Amino acid sequence: MVYLDRILKACESVGIATRTIDVPGEDAVSQERELGAAILRLNEDPEVAGIIVQLPLPAGVPLRTVVDAIDPMKDIDGLHPLNAGLLRLGYEGFVPATAHAAMEMLKRSGIAVEGADAVVIGRSPVVGMPVAFMLTMANATVTVCHSKTRDLADKTRTADIVVVAAGRPGLVAGGMLKPGAVVIDVGINLVDGHVVGDVDFASARDVAGAITPVPGGIGPLTNALLLAHLIRAAQRQTGGASGGSR
Ligand code: NAD
């Protein structure tokens, strides 16, 4: 909800009208049906330029419900198979805003990606895999780690760039990092009422050459890029300036 509120506020601050739809339903089956129907209605609405679906979905409602329904032209968070496929092939399309933010953070910070050894922790279709694809396209050598990875520290300790997107607070600590490594913490976790990332910031900041905090790191840039994707979607739909999300 933190994430959604910030997006709504960001839209309001630049004069973009928003509509929030709470999908009704008493169980996963009816929620799935209602969610699919709500997305189809938004697809048809000419006043709607972009659609995002707040993740994670309720237990039992598959991501496929969104993936199958959303119009790729309004898919500003890059979930539709067309956009996912375009990313995989290296063509322009809408990419997930968080993955875009991770790459943009590296670019704007002047961090060399080409030739770098990068480790991405997390392989979800929404964050981990898109980041891994984008780093690969930018000529990094990428290792993707996940919940079945045997020795995470063994992988992170030699990495120049570590992107953490697992949703596990404290998963990466300073002792797991190569001195001077660049650390991008995508995680958002609520611990004792506080928002924290996946990286133990206190120990990692002393070892890392650069590190994004949580909150205040990738999140604000993600929101800004989501708005940029929305504006491009509106331009495309009205025949204005063309171009992809990158
Ligand atoms: P997800 O649950 O779909 O995927 C988590 C991934 O982490 C999986 O691939 C899993 O294999 C891996 N993982 C879990 N435990 C692990 C472990 N112990 N070691 C190694 N890998 C492990 O989650 P998601 O949607 O990809 O989101 C990941 C995190 O990013 C969450 O905290 C989420 O809230 C956050 N998020 C942030 C933004 C943002 O804008 N900053 C946007 C989306 C998601």
Side-chain angles (χ1 to χ4, degrees):
M1 254 346 200
V2 179
Y3 182 57
L4 183 63
D5 284 346
R6 291 196 180 145
I7 294 167
L8 295 174
K9 282 202 183 101
C11 285
E12 193 187 337
S13 71
V14 293
I16 294 173
T18 58
R19 199 185 299 169
T20 310
I21 298 175
D22 290 317
V23 175
E26 304 199 332
D27 52 29
V29 174
S30 56
Q31 284 174 324
E32 182 178 346
R33 192 180 53 238
E34 294 291 342
L35 176 59
I39 294 172
L40 292 179
R41 280 195 297 278
L42 294 171
N43 286 347
E44 298 299 320
D45 189 336
E47 297 214 328
V48 174
I51 303 167
I52 57 163
V53 178
Q54 174 72 18
L55 301 175
L57 297 175
V61 178
L63 184 62
R64 186 84 199 255
T65 312
V66 181
V67 164
D68 283 344
I70 198 163
D71 179 345
M73 294 289 283
K74 296 188 178 185
D75 174 34
I76 57 172
D77 214 7
L79 290 177
H80 188 276
L82 177 67
N83 287 315
L86 289 170
L87 168 61
R88 185 66 192 85
L89 294 171
Y91 298 133
E92 275 190 356
F94 288 116
V95 298
T98 308
H100 191 181
M103 296 305 294
E104 200 65 23
M105 184 70 83
L106 292 169
K107 189 170 150 194
R108 292 185 191 201
S109 307
I111 289 158
V113 175
E114 186 167 307
D117 288 328
V119 163
V120 178
I121 305 176
R123 58 174 166 186
S124 76
V126 186
V127 191
M129 290 313 292
V131 173
F133 287 138
M134 292 174 88
L135 283 166
T136 305
M137 294 296 178
N139 294 324
T141 302
V142 182
T143 302
V144 179
C145 298
H146 45 75
S147 55
K148 305 293 181 202
T149 296
R150 275 201 208 114
D151 186 347
L152 199 57
D154 180 55
K155 310 292 181 293
T156 55
R157 229 174 254 131
T158 55
D160 304 307
I161 297 169
V162 181
V163 181
V164 195
R168 298 282 181 276
L171 183 64
V172 173
M176 297 168 66
L177 298 170
K178 174 164 120 177
V182 172
V183 181
I184 297 202
D185 189 354
V186 176
I188 301 177
N189 310 288
L190 208 54
V191 176
D192 298 333
H194 297 284
V195 175
V196 299
D198 287 351
V199 177
D200 174 31
F201 191 80
S203 63
R205 71 186 304 177
D206 293 336
V207 184
I211 181 168
T212 60
V214 179
I218 285 294
L221 185 52
T222 297
N223 294 348
L225 289 170
L226 200 56
L227 266 54
H229 294 188
L230 176 60
I231 289 163
R232 287 193 189 214
Q235 286 172 335
R236 281 180 177 187
Q237 288 157 40
T238 56
S242 62
S245 63
R246 288 171 280 160

